[in-house]
Structures are given as structure tokens and as C-alpha cells.
Amino acid sequence: MKLQTILSRLGLALLVLTLSTTALCAEPVKVDANLGDYIKVQGVAGNLNSVGSDTLNNMMTFWAEGFRKKYPNVNVQIEGKGSSTAPPALIEGTSQLGPMSRKMKNKEVNKFEAKYGFKPTMIGVALDSLAVFINKDNPIDGLSLQQVDGIFSKNQKGGLQNMTTWGQLGLKGEWANKPISLYGRNSASGTYGYFKKHALFKGDYKDSVKEQPGSASVVLGVTEDKAGIGYSGIGYKTSGVKAIALGKKDGDKQYEPSYENVLQGKYPLGRLLYINVVKEPNRPLPKLVEEFLKFVLSKEGQEIVVKDGYLPLTAEVAKKQLALLD
């Protein structure tokens, strides 16, 4: 699903038309000047637990550090083993924050609702371009999603042939017969599920994919393996890998995973990242949880998003998310 579609479901179909040229084209990425500053309040203290996405793990840590500078009497514990760990932790009451790199599945929502009598509240906290990484020495600059499917999936639902060597993707010389080495996440990861749905056309991964416990491990594997290819959130990009351009179909124009291309819906693997919380309808969140989320959605919080290599929300999107806290 295009990020543009996701944003329109938030009531922001005209977002791209209202973005300033500066917000779209600034390099490096800068936060929207219209984002609100975080205003410190009194009486914020206690323990805050976060269980969920590995993609958001570093960002949650940076947010926690920034939040604790304002509130030294707050203790934040963060565990990032995968998005699928967030719903059970919220249901069992072992965490107040459930970061996820995908939306909850229907069965997860149903279990949550069975426990609380209402649905979880899902707050969009950052944008991500889910990147396909290759080794920095690989000469390829871009692929279509159909080619990505042919590389990673055993089903080839995208319609192209099974691809096992770099020569099948047009490389010559020493690369022609070099086997493609696959790196990916494990099934606990929301990124695993998102990539399966959107890049593999809901097909199954090849058995040869080397499943990694975290995004950093995927990138490290590709860095150390000249013939490697893997996927993770753009925030894990290092100098040892290239984040290639992607096109929706074979022959289509390929777009780099840039802020502009994600906002305009051109990059096919753009997505929102979320923090889920337990919020009873028509009742306020616990003060500690509410203030943490307000900090995340502030200008300072979104500057942390950029610091971690991800893409910040616009002021309009942040305003919509803040409204969900009321």
C-alpha cells in the first residue's frame, strides 16, 4: 500500500499539495518548522516500559534519553525483539508502549479488545522507507518489486522467474555467476511481514534467506557479504551498504528511498511507524504515557527521528496524531 494511501486514511489526502518546497527538497532532511515545541509539565515521574519493534528500538532509546533529561524521575525500559511482541505485552500489562513497524493484525486487535473491551490506539510517530540494501561494491542501482520478489520469494507471485545469480539481474564479469546471498528478518518482525506483503506479493520467503534477529544484523550481513542483499528500515543504513532505488513494476521508473519520494507515494515501500497504547475511550491516558507521546510528536521528538536516520512527520500529520491522545 502506498504511504499516500495510508496518509489519506488519516484524513490527509491533500498533504503533499500543502507541503512546502523546503520541507520536500531540503537535503539533509529537516523537520517541519511548524511542528510544536514540547512544553514541560509538572508531576511526571515513574516507570515506563516499551516492548515491540526492533526497527524502532534505537529511536525509542533516543526518545527515552531526551525525555529523561526533562524528567529525571522517569525510568524507561525498552525491549525491541519484534513488532509481534508488542500486542501481547500491552494485553498482559507488562508494557505501556507498543512500538510496531506495521499495523496490528485483526487477530491481535481482537485479543486486545477481548481483554479491554475497546481497540488499541495506534499513534503514527515517524515515517520510514523500508530499504533494500546491497553491498556498497555491487554496481546495481535499482530493482523493480517484481525482481525483488524473484530474488526473495519461492513463489514468484510478481510474475518473473526465480533469480539466484546476479547475472540474471544484468551484471557481467565477475558478478555474472555469483550467487545472490539473502538476508532478512525473522517472523517476529513487523518488517518481515510488511516486506512479505508488499514486496513478495504475499508470497513465501525462500528457505535460503538467512534470518536475523535484528535490522542491524541484516545490514552487517550485507556489509560483510559482497553478494548479499537484505532489507530493513532506512535508519539502519551504514557506509557499507547501498539503499537502492525501487520501481513498482518491471520497466517502471525507479525511485530512491528519499523523504520526498516517500511523502509523494513514489517510493513503493514507504510506511508509517507506530506506537500503540491502551487508551480507554473518552478518558485521558496516564500522564506519563501522554507526555512521552507528546514529546515524540514535538519538534524535538521529530529531530530525534532525523538523528536516527528515519523520516519526520509533517506538522499536519503530527497534529492528527496528537488529537488521538485526547
PDB file of all heavy atoms in Angstrom, residues 40 194 206 234 261 323:
ATOM      1  N   LYS A  40       7.255  21.407  28.907  1.00  0.00           N
ATOM      2  CA  LYS A  40       7.399  20.595  30.113  1.00  0.00           C
ATOM      3  C   LYS A  40       6.280  20.900  31.105  1.00  0.00           C
ATOM      4  O   LYS A  40       5.848  22.040  31.250  1.00  0.00           O
ATOM      5  CB  LYS A  40       8.762  20.862  30.754  1.00  0.00           C
ATOM      6  CG  LYS A  40       9.071  19.982  31.951  1.00  0.00           C
ATOM      7  CD  LYS A  40      10.463  20.282  32.498  1.00  0.00           C
ATOM      8  CE  LYS A  40      10.738  19.477  33.756  1.00  0.00           C
ATOM      9  NZ  LYS A  40      12.080  19.751  34.314  1.00  0.00           N
ATOM     10  N   TYR A 194       5.729  -6.936   6.650  1.00  0.00           N
ATOM     11  CA  TYR A 194       5.482  -5.860   5.700  1.00  0.00           C
ATOM     12  C   TYR A 194       6.151  -6.167   4.363  1.00  0.00           C
ATOM     13  O   TYR A 194       5.556  -5.999   3.292  1.00  0.00           O
ATOM     14  CB  TYR A 194       5.997  -4.532   6.264  1.00  0.00           C
ATOM     15  CG  TYR A 194       5.666  -3.342   5.400  1.00  0.00           C
ATOM     16  CD1 TYR A 194       4.533  -2.581   5.651  1.00  0.00           C
ATOM     17  CD2 TYR A 194       6.472  -2.983   4.322  1.00  0.00           C
ATOM     18  CE1 TYR A 194       4.217  -1.485   4.852  1.00  0.00           C
ATOM     19  CE2 TYR A 194       6.166  -1.902   3.522  1.00  0.00           C
ATOM     20  CZ  TYR A 194       5.033  -1.152   3.794  1.00  0.00           C
ATOM     21  OH  TYR A 194       4.712  -0.087   2.984  1.00  0.00           O
ATOM     22  N   LYS A 206      12.084 -17.606   0.476  1.00  0.00           N
ATOM     23  CA  LYS A 206      12.903 -18.768   0.173  1.00  0.00           C
ATOM     24  C   LYS A 206      13.534 -19.310   1.458  1.00  0.00           C
ATOM     25  O   LYS A 206      13.815 -18.555   2.399  1.00  0.00           O
ATOM     26  CB  LYS A 206      14.024 -18.395  -0.811  1.00  0.00           C
ATOM     27  CG  LYS A 206      13.545 -18.072  -2.214  1.00  0.00           C
ATOM     28  CD  LYS A 206      14.716 -17.649  -3.104  1.00  0.00           C
ATOM     29  CE  LYS A 206      14.239 -17.346  -4.523  1.00  0.00           C
ATOM     30  NZ  LYS A 206      15.339 -16.852  -5.381  1.00  0.00           N
ATOM     31  N   ILE A 234      15.242   2.265   6.853  1.00  0.00           N
ATOM     32  CA  ILE A 234      16.313   3.101   6.324  1.00  0.00           C
ATOM     33  C   ILE A 234      17.237   3.615   7.428  1.00  0.00           C
ATOM     34  O   ILE A 234      18.405   3.930   7.182  1.00  0.00           O
ATOM     35  CB  ILE A 234      15.728   4.293   5.525  1.00  0.00           C
ATOM     36  CG1 ILE A 234      16.806   5.023   4.722  1.00  0.00           C
ATOM     37  CG2 ILE A 234      14.973   5.245   6.430  1.00  0.00           C
ATOM     38  CD1 ILE A 234      17.430   4.209   3.628  1.00  0.00           C
ATOM     39  N   ASN A 261      10.308  11.281  -1.961  1.00  0.00           N
ATOM     40  CA  ASN A 261       9.641  10.175  -2.655  1.00  0.00           C
ATOM     41  C   ASN A 261       8.693   9.412  -1.747  1.00  0.00           C
ATOM     42  O   ASN A 261       7.666   8.896  -2.199  1.00  0.00           O
ATOM     43  CB  ASN A 261      10.689   9.235  -3.250  1.00  0.00           C
ATOM     44  CG  ASN A 261      11.414   9.855  -4.429  1.00  0.00           C
ATOM     45  OD1 ASN A 261      10.902  10.769  -5.077  1.00  0.00           O
ATOM     46  ND2 ASN A 261      12.625   9.382  -4.708  1.00  0.00           N
ATOM     47  N   ALA A 323      -4.182  14.550  18.263  1.00  0.00           N
ATOM     48  CA  ALA A 323      -5.632  14.542  18.525  1.00  0.00           C
ATOM     49  C   ALA A 323      -6.109  13.204  19.044  1.00  0.00           C
ATOM     50  O   ALA A 323      -7.117  13.120  19.770  1.00  0.00           O
ATOM     51  CB  ALA A 323      -6.395  14.925  17.244  1.00  0.00           C
TER      52      ALA A 323
END
